[in-house]
Amino acid sequence: MKFLVTTYHHDLLKDYERLSGFYEAIREHAHGIVYDIGAGSGILSYFAAPYSKTVFAIEKDEKIASYAASNLANLPNVKVVHADALSYNFPLQADTIICEMLDTALIDEEQAPIINKCLKHLKEGGQMIPYGVINGVEAIEMDSETIRYDENYEYKTKGRLIIYDNIRFKEKINEKFKKTFKIPANGKANGLKITTFTLLTENIIAGPTQMMNPPLLIPIEEIKEENYMIKVTLSYKMGGGLNTIKAKIKDIEDQNT
Ligand SMILES: C[S@@+](CC[C@H](N)C(=O)[O-])C[C@H]1O[C@@H](n2cnc3c(N)ncnc32)[C@H](O)[C@@H]1O
């Protein structure tokens, strides 16, 4: 089957690792009344249709919603709705909510505010796809003085990954993130790399793929020591955009203290 898509959604469809993970999760868990929030081309609604009573495919962009309507026209149990999920009136309580508006640490897209809004429309025992995300951070040496996604950009890892946040989409998300933690480093470090892992279900985990959650590189003050710990306060607003990110070094400690 050939889908009518924008260039961006075409790239999303070409990312087979992303799609196959979602397909597995949907096949395992989608049932009953399903909402596919941010439906885009409609691919995830297409996957869900055989396992569901009704799928509501909600898409904010008018042109993209019209493409989804055309792509899904032959599926009688799928209804495409052109609406902003943040102001949409859910007609029925959901057995399954699918929402793929992921981005690294949920900072630059509306996944967190939308999940928070959707939660009250999910039946008890209902399913969220994806199930959640896990965020990790490590020290790096980078050339850029601005925040950027790694997309083929050169940097060197200077420590090891520390998991600093664990988010479950069936629980309300605190959109304002602020935490102080220590990360190990060795040699020159002037940046942090954030990596987001997606729990498609409780048991299926996906790392960053070509089109999902590219690692995010954040410059920090330069440090050059041997085997040290950087005590850093990281803050951002989920759904607030990359310019809400702040990374502040509080202290440098020896790794043995
Ligand atoms: C990352 S794309 C995912 C598309 C599709 N679900 C897929 O997996 O290929 C996210 C989609 O969400 C839509 N979107 C963004 N904000 C939205 C909102 N507030 N309400 C509904 N759709 C939204 C975008 O227009 C875009 O098509």
Side-chain angles (χ1 to χ4, degrees), residues 3-57:
F3 266 44
L4 194 56
V5 284
T6 61
T7 314
Y8 169 63
H9 288 93
H10 183 245
D11 289 341
L12 286 174
L13 290 186
K14 279 195 313 192
D15 184 347
Y16 297 119
E17 208 182 332
R18 181 187 84 92
L19 273 193
S20 58
F22 271 95
Y23 178 72
E24 279 304 308
I26 287 169
R27 196 177 59 151
E28 214 174 286
H29 289 301
H31 68 285
I33 302 296
V34 175
Y35 291 90
D36 174 13
I37 314 277
S41 64
I43 186 69
L44 304 183
S45 295
Y46 180 79
F47 288 164
Y51 308 102
S52 315
K53 183 162 180 255
T54 307
V55 182
F56 295 93

Side-chain angles (χ1 to χ4, degrees), residues 112 116 173-179 235-238:
N116 281 341
I173 304 165
N174 182 358
E175 292 163 31
K176 280 191 187 155
F177 176 84
K178 186 171 186 181
K179 219 175 214 177
S235 64
Y236 46 78
K237 171 129 174 32
M238 294 178 216

Side-chain angles (χ1 to χ4, degrees), residues 8-9 18 38-40 43-44 59-60 84-85 100-101 110:
Y8 169 63
H9 288 93
R18 181 187 84 92
I43 186 69
L44 304 183
E59 171 55 52
K60 178 161 104 171
D84 183 333
E100 204 294 56
M101 279 182 222
E110 287 179 315

Side-chain angles (χ1 to χ4, degrees), residues 34-195:
V34 175
Y35 291 90
D36 174 13
I37 314 277
S41 64
I43 186 69
L44 304 183
S45 295
Y46 180 79
F47 288 164
Y51 308 102
S52 315
K53 183 162 180 255
T54 307
V55 182
F56 295 93
I58 318 298
E59 171 55 52
K60 178 161 104 171
D61 183 288
E62 190 173 6
K63 181 170 152 207
I64 297 170
S66 75
Y67 285 178
S70 148
N71 295 334
L72 302 168
N74 290 333
L75 299 173
N77 64 336
V78 180
K79 296 183 199 325
V80 176
V81 184
H82 167 224
D84 183 333
L86 287 171
S87 50
Y88 175 64
N89 258 335
F90 286 65
L92 296 165
Q93 287 298 94
D95 295 289
T96 312
I97 293 176
I98 302 166
C99 184
E100 204 294 56
M101 279 182 222
L102 295 168
D103 71 290
T104 316
L106 312 181
I107 301 170
D108 207 32
E109 299 276 346
E110 287 179 315
Q111 182 92 12
I114 286 179
I115 292 287
N116 281 341
K117 182 198 163 177
C118 288
L119 267 179
K120 56 180 172 294
H121 302 290
L122 184 68
K123 288 182 193 167
E124 213 178 315
Q127 299 289 342
M128 279 284 189
I129 301 173
Y131 183 81
V133 289
I134 296 170
N135 297 322
V137 63
E138 62 203 291
I140 57 165
E141 181 184 347
M142 60 189 276
D143 283 340
S144 173
E145 285 172 11
T146 53
I147 294 174
R148 56 184 301 159
Y149 289 105
D150 88 339
E151 295 160 319
N152 304 323
Y153 180 73
E154 293 284 313
Y155 59 87
K156 290 185 204 136
T157 299
K158 292 304 181 96
R160 68 187 153 76
L161 187 84
I162 299 295
I163 299 299
Y164 72 87
D165 201 15
N166 216 317
I167 296 173
R168 297 290 177 264
F169 292 154
K170 277 173 80 168
E171 291 158 20
K172 193 166 177 352
I173 304 165
N174 182 358
E175 292 163 31
K176 280 191 187 155
F177 176 84
K178 186 171 186 181
K179 219 175 214 177
T180 301
F181 44 78
K182 293 178 189 175
I183 56 171
N186 186 19
K188 178 179 161 186
N190 60 2
L192 304 177
K193 173 183 162 190
I194 297 185
T195 305

